[in-house]
């Protein structure tokens, strides 16, 4: 089987597909569940998932498209650490805070769409991202390359 699931929790992805559709009925995706799955290029997280664990997609170096559900309420630290191919991400409206080093080493990341009710941004959220690019956050504010480097140094 491609997925190790216990109760409503996805413990680990065991497959080797490029395009992954997580099965319905999952509410929690565990810490490092997709860590080092370098063959993955896209992931669809189903409605009903409320939490992504720490480093859940760490080192998914070819991940360039992820679809997150409206039901998602929290994303763990370093969730997209070293996802160097990720270009954009739309965060669902229930997300109120962004964890530490969430997009660390997001070398291709050019846009992050934030929810209106975002109230906290973690330390080093864009650390090691391309500083010469500007990041537009349409629902909240605009971050220039200079401000971006401040995020990395906090």
């Amino acid at each position: 089987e491609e997925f190790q699931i216990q109760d409503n929790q996805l413990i680990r992805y065991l497959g080797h597909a490029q395009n992954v559709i997580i099965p319905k009925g999952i509410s929690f995706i565990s810490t490092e569940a997709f860590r080092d799955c370098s063959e993955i290029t896209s992931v669809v997280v189903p409605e009903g998932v409320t939490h992504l664990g720490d480093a859940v997609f760490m080192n998914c170096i070819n991940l360039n498209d992820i679809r997150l559900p409206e039901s998602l309420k929290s994303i763990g630290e370093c969730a997209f650490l070293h996802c160097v191919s990720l270009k954009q991400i739309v965060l669902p409206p229930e997300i109120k805070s962004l964890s530490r080093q969430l997009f660390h080493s997001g070398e291709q990341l050019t846009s992050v769409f934030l929810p209106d009710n975002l109230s906290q941004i973690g330390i080093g959220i864009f650390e090691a991202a391309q500083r010469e690019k500007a990041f537009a956050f349409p629902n909240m504010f605009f971050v220039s390359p200079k401000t971006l480097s401040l995020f990395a140094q906090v």
Side-chain angles (χ1 to χ4, degrees):
E1 292 206 14
E2 285 186 297
F3 301 96
Q4 179 184 352
I5 298 171
Q6 184 176 1
D7 298 320
N8 294 335
Q9 184 171 340
L10 193 159
I11 306 297
R12 182 81 180 144
Y13 176 69
L14 305 170
H16 299 284
Q18 287 185 331
N19 302 306
V20 176
I21 299 174
I22 297 170
K24 293 180 180 176
I26 301 293
S27 60
F28 184 91
I29 300 178
S30 295
T31 295
E32 299 183 359
F34 288 87
R35 182 180 179 165
D36 299 323
C37 293
S38 59
E39 65 278 349
I40 294 176
T41 59
S42 70
V43 175
V44 176
V45 180
E47 203 54 51
V49 172
T50 58
H51 179 74
L52 300 180
D54 292 346
V56 67
F57 294 105
M58 180 177 176
N59 296 331
C60 290
I61 59 171
N62 290 305
L63 179 65
N64 61 48
D65 182 35
I66 185 156
R67 308 289 166 94
L68 301 174
E70 297 284 311
S71 58
L72 191 64
K73 295 182 180 184
S74 65
I75 302 173
E77 292 184 358
C78 306
F80 300 100
L81 181 70
H82 303 299
C83 289
V84 296
S85 298
L86 192 62
K87 294 178 181 160
Q88 77 167 29
I89 190 165
V90 178
L91 298 173
E94 294 298 317
I95 300 289
K96 292 179 178 48
S97 66
L98 300 180
S99 300
R100 178 179 72 86
Q101 294 186 325
L102 187 62
F103 300 110
H104 185 284
S105 300
E107 296 173 8
Q108 300 296 318
L109 195 62
T110 57
S111 60
V112 178
F113 296 90
L114 301 176
D116 288 331
N117 59 352
L118 188 67
S119 60
Q120 183 178 3
I121 295 178
I123 294 171
I125 188 169
F126 295 112
E127 189 171 347
Q130 294 288 359
R131 301 279 195 283
E132 69 273 6
K133 295 180 181 176
F135 288 72
F137 299 110
N139 294 333
M140 190 174 171
F141 51 83
F142 178 80
V143 180
S144 70
K146 182 178 179 183
T147 307
L148 180 61
S149 66
L150 295 175
F151 277 122
Q153 295 171 9
V154 174

